Amino acid sequence: MELTKSEMEIMDVLWASDVPLSRADLLERSEEKTWKDSSVHILLNSLLKKAAIKEAGFVKRSKTYGRTFVPTLTREQYFAGTIFCHRHKPEVIGLFEALLARDEVTPEALEKIEEMIKEKKNK
């Protein structure tokens, strides 16, 4: 699944929230959006169709009810999935090597990665 820039902006808001958000909530929390407010329903329907989000319930706003939404996958799961959906797939070893060379990888992260590798080997 690949998301458009506008869809990613909505996903960023949903990923940053710990509660389901309504259309109105998304509009309020979307600070640097490239899409028009009137397009939010089209973007939400597209994300639903791609199964990137799901309905989480309803919320009453004034006299009407609106749907609330949550992501179906984490930011990390999305990006991991996009790496291997391209025609030019990277080699797993080379990908890990490139990721581990980045300054963002802390000693704490390395310990967690080692634990995850041990768990994977034991399965």
Side-chain angles (χ1 to χ4, degrees):
M1 151 191 13
E2 286 195 59
L3 302 178
T4 66
K5 180 180 179 184
S6 297
E7 290 169 340
M8 280 299 295
E9 291 170 4
I10 288 180
M11 292 301 293
D12 283 337
V13 174
L14 288 168
W15 282 323
S17 176
D18 56 349
V19 296
L21 299 177
S22 68
R23 178 185 156 283
D25 296 330
L26 285 164
L27 292 173
E28 288 171 9
R29 295 178 186 205
S30 297
E31 296 173 8
E32 297 179 25
K33 63 182 189 282
T34 58
W35 40 275
K36 296 180 181 176
D37 289 358
S38 59
S39 300
V40 71
H41 70 283
I42 294 169
L43 294 168
L44 288 170
N45 285 334
S46 176
L47 289 167
L48 284 166
K49 189 174 185 177
K50 292 178 179 180
I53 63 172
K54 66 180 180 180
E55 289 182 22
F58 292 91
V59 65
K60 187 172 184 179
R61 303 271 283 180
S62 302
K63 296 179 181 180
T64 61
Y65 286 88
R67 298 180 293 174
T68 59
F69 304 93
V70 293
T72 58
L73 66 170
T74 66
R75 181 186 318 267
E76 294 76 16
Q77 289 169 329
Y78 169 73
F79 282 105
T82 62
I83 289 171
F84 296 106
C85 75
H86 293 282
R87 184 173 59 134
H88 305 289
K89 295 178 177 95
E91 292 294 325
V92 174
I93 302 291
L95 178 61
F96 273 96
E97 184 177 31
L99 288 171
L100 291 173
R102 298 196 51 93
D103 292 337
E104 293 90 345
V105 180
T106 64
E108 296 81 17
L110 286 173
E111 286 182 30
K112 181 65 177 169
I113 292 167
E114 286 176 348
E115 290 174 22
M116 292 166 36
I117 291 170
K118 285 178 188 175
E119 286 180 26
K120 182 73 172 179
K121 282 182 175 180
N122 291 333
K123 285 186 179 179

